[in-house]
Amino acid sequence: MSYKETCIVCDGQNKKGIHVFHHFICMDCHNDLIQTETNDEKYKFYVDRLKKIGENKIYS
């Protein structure tokens, strides 16, 4: 059985990636993210998606 997680950036399912404060970022998004310059139009997209990391969650 292969366990896949949902990436907070692309919403895709993947097995390989990193966890940041209980959130999963797939390796494709991670690699693209670290290569994106701050003046690139994709940069704002990544910033908006990564704001999910700071959102408070209530676990019951």
Side-chain angles (χ1 to χ4, degrees):
M1 179 202 291
S2 57
Y3 177 71
K4 294 183 179 181
E5 297 186 67
T6 303
C7 176
I8 65 166
V9 177
C10 69
D11 293 323
Q13 296 284 311
N14 209 315
K15 291 189 292 186
K16 294 183 180 178
I18 63 170
H19 289 93
V20 180
F21 295 109
H22 305 290
H23 295 276
F24 180 75
I25 301 173
C26 72
M27 288 309 296
D28 292 336
C29 289
H30 173 265
N31 292 334
D32 197 32
L33 176 69
I34 61 174
Q35 294 175 16
T36 301
E37 298 290 333
T38 56
N39 59 350
D40 190 318
E41 290 185 23
K42 289 190 295 184
Y43 184 77
K44 182 175 177 359
F45 168 76
Y46 286 124
V47 169
D48 288 340
R49 298 301 290 209
L50 293 175
K51 285 180 182 178
K52 292 180 184 180
I53 293 173
E55 292 176 353
N56 291 330
K57 291 191 175 193
I58 298 173
Y59 297 99
S60 57

